[in-house]
Amino acid sequence: MQFTIPISEDSFYRPIPGDFLNFREDDGLCAFYVINVHHYYEKLDASRYMAENIVIEAEPVTLPDDIGSESHHKLCRKLNANRRYPNLGT
């Protein structure tokens, strides 16, 4: 699954491996575990670079039925996701 989510230029947060990312959907949440982060830079001049893109490798995590969106539950079933969101019990 691939999708793009813009991050504000003045955002202080950048995901790191081990983070959990949550996204709100119309009928609930979807959640992913960050595996790796790739930074791509554009060269401005001889000594300066500017971050151009950040690509995040992540896998879906299972959520309880009452908070997870239907599309996220379908994705987890399709990919046989076995990682659970932390501190949510079963």
Side-chain angles (χ1 to χ4, degrees):
M1 181 169 137
Q2 295 183 8
F3 56 92
T4 301
I5 297 174
I7 297 177
S8 171
E9 287 182 20
D10 57 350
S11 174
F12 63 91
Y13 174 73
R14 296 290 190 259
I16 61 170
D19 280 353
F20 286 87
L21 302 177
N22 305 307
F23 302 100
R24 189 174 311 278
E25 297 185 313
D26 291 339
D27 62 342
L29 295 176
C30 60
F32 297 87
Y33 178 77
V34 177
I35 297 171
N36 204 352
V37 178
H38 304 276
H39 296 78
Y40 297 91
Y41 297 91
E42 175 184 343
K43 189 171 186 174
L44 297 177
D45 56 39
S47 63
R48 296 184 312 151
Y49 290 83
M50 178 179 75
E52 180 69 18
N53 289 307
I54 298 172
V55 175
I56 300 168
E57 291 180 56
E59 66 182 26
V61 296
T62 58
L63 293 168
D65 289 340
D66 58 336
I67 65 170
S69 72
E70 183 57 34
S71 63
H72 188 70
H73 289 304
K74 285 180 184 177
L75 174 67
C76 288
R77 286 191 298 270
K78 180 180 179 181
L79 297 177
N80 198 24
N82 57 13
R83 187 182 301 268
R84 296 183 185 279
Y85 197 84
N87 302 320
L88 291 178
T90 60

